[in-house]
Amino acid sequence: ALLVEPHRSTTLQVVSPTRTMKYQWSIGDWGEDKEAHEAVGAVISHKFSPGTVKVVLKKMMQDKEVGSCVVPVLAKYVRRDMGKLDDEDRKAVVTALRALYDYSDEEGEKRFGENFFSAETLAEVHIDGAAKCDHIHDGNGFLNAHMLLTAMVESALQAVDPVVTIPYWAYERDGTVMKFSEVNGNSLPFTEEWFGVADERTGEISGVFGDITYPVAGSADRVQDMYGLVRAPWNISPNPKITRFFQSCQAPDITSLPTCDDFHEWLNMTHLTHLMDRVQYTPHGGTHLGIGGYSHEKSGFDPSITCSAIVQIVDSLDVSKAWIIDFLQNPDRIRKTLWREGYATCKGSPSCRAAQVCMCESTESFTEEVMEELLEAPAGSTTPQDLVKALNIAGGDQLTSQGAFDPQFHLTHTNIERLWSFRMLNTDKFPIDDWTWYEQYEECSGHNPKDTVHIPVFGIQLTNLDALELFDARNGYMPYVYDSLDIPFAGFEERHRLGGANASNVQGGFGA
């Protein structure tokens, strides 16, 4: 089939037309009961809808048919490298994304149709899936859940502008040339033209999305933080705006962007369970962790604990240097674990909200024995109360499950999905020797093969096995392709394309 892009003008023309011939075109569904689009001429232009149609070309001479041909045409969206979009297409993506923040679900559905979802809803879906029990991270359910979330976001964008797709950020390229402390303002997503530059003091972002604030929960049955905003329950940042800090306490480059070597390491895994489990860590790596980062003593939105205070507390502990480094890298992860296990409580009050100093506190069940067993912090090195106090440092939003409210979040995941497409299309070079999907997490669903994926798409509930088949690029079920599956990395440099779909041969689109 001829591959074209939907909702873009595609030129169809007869090669070496004859002046004595009349050329009639008919473009329609394969079903005979559907009305076809008719056109006449050696060259015509047409905008295709997504899906497969047939194009019939008839050669006419003196109103008699003297020849014809039928060409199947497949219209699929093309996800492109964000660095290859021209200014017009970049603006289209940014404008459509902004609309998700400007309209509620009800307003958006009235204006754009039933496929619209607000940014608030999309972020809440992600938070709900990762709150008390993490159904969508730290296990085999990660990839499927996030591919379905991306599909929801893309559907909402296309309700606003049917031409738009979510581009991808090929961060493995940036990972080879810059440290995380250099990403802000230099890597393309974090520039004024895209998703804004973060202020080094407050973490607040500039640009089109700089004025956005997190929605107020307004109801006790919604997941919310100590300030009553729709964010992770263990969040302690009082700043209602999107923030990014790109650093850890006294260790700005402890986390690095994944590189081509990280991609290579993951691609060489040969067990399906290992592939699904590790994709969150090795090729996806510390992207969100590093982007979120932690505020420091210069921040105008710190609670009473700052990086310098945490370092003083941690340095006084009788623990190994490796433990301290891990602690300083991601206090939020430890605070989240303690909250989920009931060892910490994160409850807001009118007084702490007014003073912007709401903090998590330890519970009676968080004893020294638990601290030693759960966190490998030797008993006697500190008190459980002081340890939880040391965790109370504000971080950027992508550190935790509220990160899906940051519009840049989704361009990281389209890159992982691109890698997954590459993996499935190259099982000859990177074989999967064992396709067994082992059971995981009996008490927290979402990670086993027949578990329902905790991301509902248009009211359809898919199992992990359903999603695995749906997103297998070999099956062709996805409504999109990638402009290129060129993924150069150590030991394997070769061009790979999804079914021939790339910027040079997709008709009617970017670079066509």
Side-chain angles (χ1 to χ4, degrees):
L2 176 66
L3 183 64
V4 301
E5 286 192 78
H7 303 297
R8 293 184 179 275
S9 293
T10 297
T11 300
L12 302 174
Q13 67 181 67
V14 177
V15 178
S16 302
T18 304
R19 303 181 76 180
T20 57
M21 293 288 181
K22 180 180 179 181
Y23 298 96
Q24 292 184 349
W25 302 81
S26 177
I27 304 171
D29 294 333
W30 290 96
E32 297 297 332
D33 57 334
K34 299 292 183 67
E35 184 176 349
H37 171 78
E38 306 287 345
V40 176
V43 181
I44 67 168
S45 180
H46 183 73
K47 290 184 179 180
F48 290 88
S49 297
T52 304
V53 298
K54 64 176 178 180
V55 176
V56 179
L57 173 62
K58 295 180 180 179
K59 292 196 299 183
M60 308 294 292
M61 179 177 287
Q62 297 180 349
D63 295 329
K64 291 184 178 181
E65 181 180 329
V66 295
S68 66
C69 67
V70 179
V71 178
V73 173
L74 177 60
K76 284 198 174 192
Y77 288 100
V78 180
R79 291 179 177 176
R80 285 187 161 79
D81 184 337
M82 63 182 303
K84 296 180 180 179
L85 300 188
D86 62 24
D87 195 52
E88 179 181 353
D89 294 313
R90 177 192 58 78
K91 288 180 179 178
V93 172
V94 170
T95 300
L97 271 169
R98 177 67 206 214
L100 306 191
Y101 295 86
D102 290 338
Y103 296 92
S104 67
D105 284 348
E106 183 178 358
E107 294 168 339
E109 286 182 16
K110 288 181 180 179
R111 185 179 180 92
F112 303 114
E114 62 182 4
N115 289 344
F116 179 89
F117 300 98
S118 67
E120 177 178 344
T121 292
L122 294 165
E124 191 166 14
V125 165
H126 188 263
I127 295 171
D128 283 343
K132 189 63 178 178
C133 164
D134 203 331
H135 304 283
I136 61 176
H137 300 98
D138 301 322
N140 290 353
F142 166 79
L143 183 63
N144 286 334
H146 286 80
M147 287 194 290
L148 286 171
L149 179 62
T150 303
M152 287 184 68
V153 177
E154 197 158 61
S155 173
L157 293 177
Q158 289 164 356
V160 176
D161 184 346
V163 173
V164 168
T165 59
I166 304 178
Y168 60 89
W169 170 36
Y171 52 76
E172 73 279 6
R173 294 201 297 262
D174 288 346
T176 63
V177 296
M178 64 179 70
K179 300 176 181 179
F180 243 124
S181 57
E182 301 169 327
V183 167
N184 188 35
N186 295 309
S187 180
L188 192 57
F190 309 106
T191 57
E192 195 75 23
E193 294 75 20
W194 276 95
F195 302 111
V197 180
D199 184 274
E200 291 185 3
R201 187 179 66 88
T202 66
E204 294 179 5
I205 62 174
S206 62
V208 174
F209 302 95
D211 64 328
I212 291 170
T213 58
Y214 276 86
V216 175
S219 172
D221 59 357
R222 298 180 74 184
V223 176
Q224 57 194 278
D225 68 1
M226 292 183 284
Y227 294 93
L229 303 180
V230 180
R231 297 195 288 200
W234 53 87
N235 168 71
I236 65 165
S237 172
N239 193 342
K241 292 187 175 182
I242 296 170
T243 57
R244 309 181 193 121
F245 288 101
F246 299 97
Q247 66 173 358
S248 295
C249 291
Q250 284 200 346
D253 294 309
I254 234 174
T255 299
S256 59
L257 283 169
T259 66
C260 295
D261 287 342
D262 294 312
F263 278 27
H264 186 235
E265 178 185 343
W266 178 79
L267 286 165
N268 278 319
M269 295 178 183
T270 60
H271 195 299
L272 178 64
T273 293
H274 294 160
L275 282 166
M276 298 295 285
D277 182 70
R278 295 307 303 172
V279 69
Q280 178 179 350
Y281 307 107
T282 306
H284 179 259
T287 49
H288 299 308
L289 174 63
I291 292 166
Y294 290 93
S295 60
H296 47 91
E297 49 269 24
K298 296 180 180 179
S299 174
F301 283 95
D302 276 344
S304 59
I305 299 297
T306 65
C307 267
S308 58
I310 284 184
V311 170
Q312 289 179 10
I313 293 172
V314 175
D315 281 347
S316 68
L317 304 184
D318 183 19
V319 292
S320 67
K321 183 66 174 177
W323 191 94
I324 292 175
I325 290 174
D326 184 64
F327 187 98
L328 293 177
Q329 181 180 8
N330 195 0
D332 184 89
R333 176 177 57 82
I334 303 173
R335 190 170 67 244
K336 171 183 66 177
T337 299
L338 296 180
W339 179 86
R340 283 179 175 163
E341 298 294 332
Y343 297 129
T345 180
C346 304
K347 295 180 179 179
S349 66
S351 58
C352 80
R353 290 175 181 176
Q356 295 191 330
V357 291
C358 295
M359 291 187 284
C360 299
E361 299 176 348
S362 63
T363 63
E364 291 183 358
S365 59
F366 187 44
T367 62
E368 287 195 3
E369 290 75 19
V370 173
M371 182 176 69
E372 183 174 12
E373 180 181 351
L374 186 66
L375 303 181
E376 299 180 355
S381 59
T382 185
T383 66
Q385 294 76 17
D386 283 345
L387 183 63
V388 173
K389 182 180 179 181
L391 294 169
N392 283 294
I393 178 171
D397 294 299
Q398 288 203 38
L399 272 174
T400 190
S401 58
Q402 66 209 38
F405 196 66
D406 184 334
Q408 186 281 324
F409 176 92
H410 305 289
L411 278 73
T412 297
H413 287 272
T414 45
N415 196 43
I416 284 293
E417 295 173 34
R418 181 175 72 109
L419 180 62
W420 183 250
S421 292
F422 175 91
R423 186 68 177 79
M424 291 296 97
L425 290 169
N426 288 280
T427 53
D428 55 334
K429 296 180 176 65
F430 298 99
I432 299 177
D433 297 331
D434 189 339
W435 286 85
T436 306
W437 186 320
Y438 289 109
E439 299 281 323
Q440 291 181 313
Y441 305 109
E442 293 181 3
E443 297 179 357
C444 187
S445 63
H447 302 285
N448 297 321
K450 295 183 180 180
D451 285 353
T452 298
V453 183
H454 284 255
I455 303 290
V457 181
F458 310 120
I460 301 173
Q461 295 288 345
L462 299 177
T463 67
N464 271 313
L465 290 179
D466 294 333
L468 188 67
E469 181 179 5
L470 174 65
F471 290 107
D472 189 333
R474 297 171 299 179
N475 297 330
Y477 297 146
M478 298 178 293
Y480 57 83
V481 295
Y482 282 90
D483 63 342
S484 172
L485 293 184
D486 297 349
I487 301 179
F489 50 82
F492 188 79
E493 295 188 7
E494 189 173 327
R495 297 185 67 80
H496 293 267
R497 306 187 190 282
L498 177 52
N502 55 74
S504 64
N505 66 16
V506 176
Q507 305 300 307
F510 307 106

